[in-house]
Amino acid sequence: MAIHIVPEHRLSARQIAATSAIRPLLAADLPRLYQQRADRLLQLAADHPFGDYLRFAAGVARAQRRVLETRPLADGVNPPAAAEGALALDAATFARTPQWRDMLRALIALLLPDAAPAVRQALDTLSSLPDSMLEAEAQALLSGDFARADSARAPFVWAALSLYWAQMAGRIGGQAVADGGRRQYCPLCGTAPAASVIHGKGGVPGLRYLHCALCESEWHLVRAVCSSCEQTDDLAYWSLDATQAAVTAESCGHCRSYLKVIRQDKEACAESLADDLASVILDAKLEEKGFSRSGINPFLFPTG
């Protein structure tokens, strides 16, 4: 299967100047997000070569929504005020409460009844791990030390951490956001994006936001700028469909990275994690050309 270079819209100087009035950070509507993600994964799973895995991921998203409804973050649990210039929810250092482990156990209970044998084994192991080992695996993931985390258990641990962080992020809203000149990372928690999203009708049409892989927040970055190194003069946009693809990949010749672009302006039901996961063939093609993925998908953790 070939990939194609497709044109990308570039903002005019006037449009770039107008971005000062754009909301820099968008908090997630979590019930809607989890439902949209599950629905999109099931839609994409039909006739997909990795349909079983997409359906598995849909089950995790449904379970996240159920835990959100039945075991939400406790009232009064709010992040402390961050020091000036610091991240309010820094994934590597934020003092999370044990409630994330309660969310993990609730996810396990929801997923076990319909789990395939390999998944059941991972869930059973997770349910028997002492708190100290759960915290160690969580810290490895949050610090980006993926080699120290068990690949079979990582999606479930991350799902619980994400559920916890996303609710914390919702309590901050657009406040206490540190930029620090590192716009390729979430300004709330410092995590890499899962993908970038071009919003369509009903959101902020035509604008690009990077979607955080952990806290589900989105932060604005102008289009036709590398989402990793912010260079503008050696970018290419790749697609498996040469015409109206809902998913493209933005590659940068400077830093040799790439990140998916999810085009909700072309397909309203497209969703960052779902469409990224369903387009792994595009990842393989970009990696064949020597580009490295700059984002994180919790269902595609690197193994080392």
Side-chain angles (χ1 to χ4, degrees):
M1 180 181 292
I3 59 173
H4 312 272
I5 293 180
V6 294
E8 169 66 2
H9 170 72
R10 288 181 177 269
L11 296 180
S12 67
R14 178 178 296 179
Q15 288 172 312
I16 292 173
T19 59
S20 60
I22 293 170
R23 292 172 62 190
L25 185 73
L26 304 176
D29 178 350
L30 289 178
R32 179 179 177 276
L33 174 70
Y34 292 138
Q35 188 64 53
Q36 179 189 9
R37 183 170 296 163
D39 290 346
R40 180 61 170 169
L41 283 162
L42 291 175
Q43 178 187 11
L44 292 168
D47 301 319
H48 195 286
F50 306 120
D52 287 345
Y53 195 63
L54 297 181
R55 283 184 282 271
F56 156 74
V60 174
R62 287 196 302 267
Q64 285 177 297
R65 177 169 184 176
R66 182 61 178 156
V67 174
L68 178 69
E69 295 169 344
T70 59
R71 302 184 71 91
L73 193 65
D75 292 338
V77 178
N78 295 301
E84 184 175 354
L87 299 175
L89 294 171
D90 192 328
T93 61
F94 182 73
R96 58 189 176 273
T97 70
Q99 192 175 0
W100 84 267
R101 298 196 303 266
D102 296 335
M103 295 175 184
L104 174 60
R105 294 183 178 103
L107 286 171
I108 292 170
L110 288 168
L111 293 168
L112 266 174
D114 299 318
V119 174
R120 175 176 291 276
Q121 182 178 359
L123 294 173
D124 285 339
T125 301
L126 267 178
S127 65
S128 64
L129 288 181
D131 291 347
S132 60
M133 290 189 66
L134 290 177
E135 293 293 346
E137 290 206 11
Q139 196 59 42
L141 291 174
L142 294 171
S143 301
D145 190 359
F146 302 125
R148 288 200 303 115
D150 182 271
S151 60
R153 300 192 293 263
F156 310 109
V157 174
W158 189 273
L161 291 169
S162 180
L163 185 55
Y164 178 88
W165 248 265
Q167 291 179 83
M168 293 291 281
R171 295 185 179 184
I172 293 177
Q175 305 302 314
V177 176
D179 185 322
R182 289 159 40 100
R183 291 189 295 177
Q184 68 269 44
Y185 300 110
C186 176
L188 279 181
C189 68
T191 303
S196 62
V197 181
I198 307 297
H199 283 257
K201 294 180 180 179
V204 276
L207 297 180
R208 174 169 76 163
Y209 282 78
L210 304 186
H211 187 104
C212 180
L214 179 64
C215 76
E216 307 280 12
S217 302
E218 293 186 350
W219 67 101
H220 179 253
L221 184 67
V222 295
R223 293 167 66 168
V225 171
C226 175
S227 59
S228 184
C229 71
E230 299 193 46
Q231 293 288 336
T232 62
D233 61 347
D234 196 3
L235 300 178
Y237 295 85
W238 306 84
S239 169
L240 296 171
D241 179 349
T243 54
Q244 293 294 315
V247 179
T248 60
E250 177 186 78
S251 69
C252 176
H254 284 277
C255 65
R256 304 301 296 175
S257 74
Y258 75 92
L259 187 71
K260 300 278 187 63
V261 182
I262 310 303
R263 301 295 305 264
Q264 292 179 345
D265 58 334
K266 292 189 175 181
E267 190 160 353
C269 62
E271 196 278 326
S272 55
L273 264 67
D275 282 76
D276 177 42
L277 183 61
S279 56
V280 291
I281 295 174
L282 186 56
D283 292 87
K285 296 296 184 180
L286 267 292
E287 288 164 9
E288 286 176 3
K289 293 183 176 294
F291 295 103
S292 298
R293 181 185 176 96
S294 63
I296 295 173
N297 189 310
F299 295 101
L300 293 172
F301 276 123
T303 56

